[in-house]
Amino acid sequence: MQAAPSLPERLIAHLDMDAFYASVELLRYPELKGRAVVIGGRREHAPRTLADGTREYSLLRDYTGRGVVTTSTYAARDLGVFSAMGLMKAALRAPDAILLPTDFDSYRHYSRLFKAAVAEIAPVIEDRGIDEIYIDLTDVPGIREPVGHDPLGGAKAVAREIKNSVLKATGLTCSIGITPNKLLSKIASELEKPDGVTVLTMEDLETRIWPLAVRKVNGIGPKAAAKLAALGVETVGDIAGKTLPWLVENFGKSYGAWLHEASHGRDRRPVVTYSEPVSISRETTFERDLHAKQDRALLGRIFTQLCEQLAGDLSRKGYLSRTIGIKLRFEGFVTVTRDLTLDLPIADAAAIRHAAGLCLKRVDLSKRLRLLGVRAGNLSHPGDALRGRPARKAKPAAASETPEAESLSLFEDLPL
DNA sequence: TCTGGGGTCCTAGGACCC
DNA sequence: TCTGGGGTCCTAGGACCC
């Protein structure tokens, strides 16, 4: 039978696991179901099993430190605790919430399980991190079959089949949006969360998408939303009501044109099933701000450790890097980066540390440091032909960047 | 009581080459 | 000696996302 004429050429799904990290923890600690639980912080908050077999949990009120909320259960969200919120602030809102440490190994395990379950039904999958994926359903058998008088019945049936398969493989629920493109599907998957299915066509744009706040669009962040609000633009429909020249005038040629397309629900991006990484990095925020001079030895050890971890990541994944960079965050949250492109790609810790050390010399280190990071970019594989021409001679450091004498030797003469 | 760690992409200026 | 334009690479910062 011929597909209904209103069905779009592409059918793209966005699948988002519901409160993923928190839900994985509830599998392990089912007695916490229904309670306000917050995931975040460093190791020390693991539950303790008492002699009688009962478990004792840490409470959010007892937390001290610089951690943030990674995820929270829906009960915790009802108390105003959301992702990326500082744990100390979260403790003020929900002092009796249970605090669990993040256990990435476990989340990665369930991530592999749910993705494999989806792949058995629809193999064209784009990874968007540990808890979400895009799926191109265009060629899945039965997707365009109407059910009764519903031309979208086939799509809804496939969505339910995928959700059942994920639940069976992991014990976890997810939400799925199916629309003609990635942009709309990403929005749609959120509309019926948790455990929801939302199928939209272009005909639903005005009623379902236009009333939404601009922040619901993937790619409109806090800065763009604030600027839009200042211009009297609150909803996606408000954007669609503006002309292309108006948007370009206020947001630039590229972003303005994208806003125009996005507000009209247009997006031609394909589902990309494989991509090479652009960079690999390691960074750490200190428990307290450290000073280059007073805490020199400690900083040196941390610096060396970051380089060793990065070297381990590179070799484990089979990459060489020709551009090594550092990231510094000072007290007050001012962030600075420096990088250096080498003649030849490297991967070992000593070479990374040397290059990163050269970057470090270009930064004024008189302020206390909150974070230190090391990054490897310009990645290649060991047998690849060299890309680019040899790096030119580095220009001398600008006068304003010339470090103090003691900074010059900072972190050096500490052997790996 | 401020704000983790791991990423991608874009912009913009200067160097350098043709 | 002056005047170009195009293209790529490098670097720094910033917005945004999970």
Side-chain angles (χ1 to χ4, degrees):
Chain A
M1 190 185 127
Q2 189 66 26
S6 68
L7 278 187
E9 55 193 89
R10 293 196 301 162
L11 285 165
I12 308 296
H14 181 256
L15 182 157
D16 200 308
M17 298 299 289
D18 299 324
F20 184 56
Y21 300 175
S23 302
V24 170
E25 297 294 346
L26 291 184
L27 291 176
R28 210 179 348 185
Y29 308 121
E31 67 266 33
L32 297 182
K33 216 161 283 178
R35 295 201 52 176
V37 178
V38 172
I39 317 297
R42 285 178 181 161
R43 301 299 86 88
E44 307 85 44
H45 321 98
R48 298 156 297 279
T49 303
L50 304 179
D52 63 358
T54 59
R55 277 189 282 256
E56 195 178 68
Y57 298 96
S58 295
L59 294 183
L60 198 46
R61 59 156 30 99
D62 298 323
Y63 179 83
T64 52
R66 292 185 149 168
V68 298
V69 175
T70 305
T71 327
S72 48
T73 58
Y74 291 98
R77 294 179 197 189
D78 288 342
L79 299 172
V81 173
F82 300 100
S83 296
M85 180 181 286
L87 283 171
M88 301 291 273
K89 179 174 175 179
L92 293 181
R93 297 190 176 195
D96 297 315
I98 283 164
L99 176 63
L100 296 174
T102 42
D103 176 8
F104 277 102
D105 289 341
S106 183
Y107 311 148
R108 268 190 291 268
H109 170 71
Y110 282 94
S111 181
R112 280 191 292 269
L113 288 183
F114 96 74
K115 288 168 188 173
V118 174
E120 298 217 350
I121 297 164
V124 184
I125 294 174
E126 176 176 334
D127 232 296
R128 292 304 299 184
I130 203 160
D131 70 339
E132 63 181 79
I133 52 176
Y134 289 104
I135 318 162
D136 192 334
L137 300 178
T138 305
D139 296 326
V140 169
I143 191 83
R144 288 168 192 277
E145 293 295 321
V147 174
H149 292 297
D150 184 1
L152 304 176
K156 291 172 186 168
V158 170
R160 281 192 294 269
E161 189 188 353
I162 290 173
K163 281 167 55 61
N164 284 337
S165 174
V166 167
L167 181 64
K168 196 174 156 199
T170 64
L172 301 168
T173 64
C174 61
S175 297
I176 296 180
I178 300 179
T179 81
N181 62 55
K182 295 206 286 191
L183 182 98
L184 292 176
S185 296
K186 169 81 179 167
I187 297 172
S189 67
E190 252 192 84
L191 291 178
E192 313 271 343
K193 228 173 201 319
D195 202 13
V197 172
T198 304
V199 183
L200 302 179
T201 68
M202 280 300 179
E203 276 122 70
D204 300 308
L205 188 69
E206 289 190 39
T207 56
R208 304 296 302 276
I209 304 297
W210 282 2
L212 300 174
V214 298
R215 282 290 272 121
K216 298 291 178 187
V217 177
N218 197 250
I220 301 180
K223 300 286 181 179
K227 185 169 176 188
L228 284 162
L231 293 162
V233 176
E234 304 280 352
T235 67
V236 181
D238 291 342
I239 303 177
K242 299 297 182 186
T243 64
L244 175 59
W246 188 90
L247 289 166
V248 168
E249 181 164 337
N250 286 284
F251 293 92
K253 194 173 175 177
S254 166
Y255 197 65
W258 177 81
L259 282 173
H260 190 256
E261 288 297 287
S263 68
H264 287 91
R266 294 191 285 261
D267 173 22
R268 297 296 317 167
R269 291 173 301 162
V271 170
V272 177
T273 56
Y274 178 79
S275 62
E276 285 278 331
V278 172
S279 66
I280 297 173
S281 67
R282 287 283 186 146
E283 66 183 52
T284 186
T285 295
F286 314 131
E287 315 259 337
R288 59 175 178 92
D289 295 341
L290 300 178
H291 193 274
K293 221 185 300 177
Q294 284 108 281
D295 302 298
R296 190 185 139 155
L298 176 55
L299 272 170
R301 285 195 297 274
I302 293 169
F303 189 47
T304 298
Q305 191 187 352
L306 288 168
C307 293
E308 285 169 346
Q309 288 171 336
L310 184 59
D313 296 341
L314 285 172
S315 81
R316 191 156 24 81
K317 297 175 181 175
Y319 288 103
L320 300 171
S321 164
R322 203 165 68 85
T323 302
I324 300 297
I326 58 165
K327 171 169 157 184
L328 304 175
R329 178 123 71 208
F330 295 96
E331 51 189 346
F333 226 67
V334 175
T335 305
V336 146
T337 63
R338 292 290 179 272
D339 59 43
L340 174 64
T341 298
L342 308 164
D343 285 354
L344 295 171
I346 58 172
D348 70 287
I352 291 171
R353 195 181 189 286
H354 180 249
L358 293 175
C359 292
L360 201 56
K361 289 186 182 182
R362 314 209 300 259
V363 185
D364 174 8
L365 295 171
S366 49
K367 286 227 165 44
R368 285 181 184 278
L369 284 165
R370 169 188 185 94
L371 170 150
L372 180 59
V374 185
R375 194 182 92 105
N378 235 316
L379 302 176
S380 59
H381 288 288
D384 285 355
L386 290 183
R387 286 192 297 115
R389 14 179 189 75
R392 289 177 296 276
K393 279 231 166 9
K395 77 171 166 82
S400 65
E401 286 187 343
T402 304
E404 303 168 36
E406 58 263 49
S407 305
L408 270 169
S409 58
L410 181 78
F411 302 171
E412 283 178 6
D413 60 280
L414 288 152
L416 282 167

